[in-house]
Amino acid sequence: MRNAVILVGAGVILLGCGHTNRLAEYPVIGSTMLFSSTALPTAINPEVWIEPPPTDTATPPPVSWMLTIASAAGEAITEAAAYKKLSEAIVPEELALAAGRGFQEAALRWLRVVPVRSLDDNPAFLAETILERYTLSSTPAGVYARVELRSRILHRSSARVVWEAQKSVSIPIQRTHGLAFVPGAATVTSAMNAARLLSLKTEELRQLFGNAAQAAGNQLGELLRKDVERLPAKAAP
């Protein structure tokens, strides 16, 4: 099971959003919560997880456009080597966990929930983060990951959805200091180009791709924060 990555314009771009908010109807704040993350089987399609530039009407084979850019920059790499490196770096389960961490941080901070390890701990609420798609694509501005993600909070005893949001965001793949990723801080000159991307080691790529997934989770977490902010005073002590 693989995840897909898409590159678009500079900056973090909101592409879509779906939302349910019933936080005021349930005693979520301060309750126990079990967090989980998963990637859909279709999150990574090996045939499309690298997309050609949108201006290329010839629809070249995956990776070919990236190799062309890399060759122009003096990077010598075969298509097979590029496939192998990117396939090993794009691990759906790891990306889902990274996205889940981004959302969990917000839930712990703003809902002040108590995380538990398993259902045996009888949590009052369940929080699920689902990686729906992860794709890469390239523009002259650099390489971007488009992450389609959904998080929801469920009331366990009733199985009702208390809170749910979905986002599709494009996030620049970049390095600042070492391998640190700064969400939303990329510019046209700082986003990594295809040649630089292919020159990195597999472990470096995995960390960068995971950072992008976590940044997407942080975006969902920001939606949660805004909803908590709107809660009546009695529901948000």
Side-chain angles (χ1 to χ4, degrees), residues 50-53 56 59-71 77-80 82-83 86 194 198:
I50 299 179
E51 297 191 352
D56 193 336
T59 313
V63 178
S64 294
W65 58 267
M66 187 176 281
L67 294 176
T68 299
I69 296 173
S71 297
I77 185 169
T78 67
E79 185 168 329
Y83 263 121
L86 292 172
L198 291 175

Side-chain angles (χ1 to χ4, degrees), residues 5-198:
V5 186
I6 297 175
L7 272 291
V8 295
V12 178
I13 303 172
L14 173 64
L15 300 176
C17 180
H19 193 201
T20 297
N21 177 20
R22 294 178 175 174
L23 291 174
E25 301 174 27
Y26 294 85
V28 182
I29 293 179
S31 296
T32 54
M33 184 172 291
L34 176 64
F35 292 88
S36 66
S37 301
T38 187
L40 293 182
T42 55
I44 297 296
N45 183 333
E47 298 303 318
V48 300
W49 52 267
I50 299 179
E51 297 191 352
T55 57
D56 193 336
T57 57
T59 313
V63 178
S64 294
W65 58 267
M66 187 176 281
L67 294 176
T68 299
I69 296 173
S71 297
E75 296 286 345
I77 185 169
T78 67
E79 185 168 329
Y83 263 121
K84 182 176 186 297
K85 177 178 287 189
L86 292 172
S87 295
E88 292 175 350
I90 299 174
V91 182
E93 295 81 3
E94 291 184 0
L95 295 172
L97 285 172
R101 282 195 299 272
F103 181 73
Q104 181 173 347
E105 288 176 359
L108 294 176
R109 181 178 296 115
W110 306 117
L111 295 176
R112 302 188 292 281
V113 294
V114 179
V116 300
R117 292 181 175 273
S118 72
L119 290 174
D120 293 336
D121 296 311
N122 196 28
F125 294 88
L126 307 177
E128 303 173 344
T129 296
I130 303 167
L131 182 66
E132 298 180 335
R133 187 170 173 82
Y134 191 96
T135 56
L136 290 178
S137 58
S138 180
T139 72
V143 176
Y144 290 74
R146 186 167 74 190
V147 187
E148 297 181 18
L149 193 65
R150 181 183 305 275
S151 288
R152 63 180 183 175
I153 297 173
L154 300 99
H155 185 230
R156 189 185 177 198
S157 63
S158 66
R160 291 176 180 170
V161 175
V162 176
W163 187 92
E164 183 172 18
Q166 186 273 341
K167 267 196 169 187
S168 179
V169 294
S170 287
I171 298 174
I173 302 296
Q174 69 174 107
R175 294 174 77 174
T176 53
H177 302 290
L179 286 177
F181 180 85
V182 181
T187 65
V188 170
T189 57
S190 67
M192 297 185 66
N193 60 30
R196 182 67 183 117
L197 188 75
L198 291 175

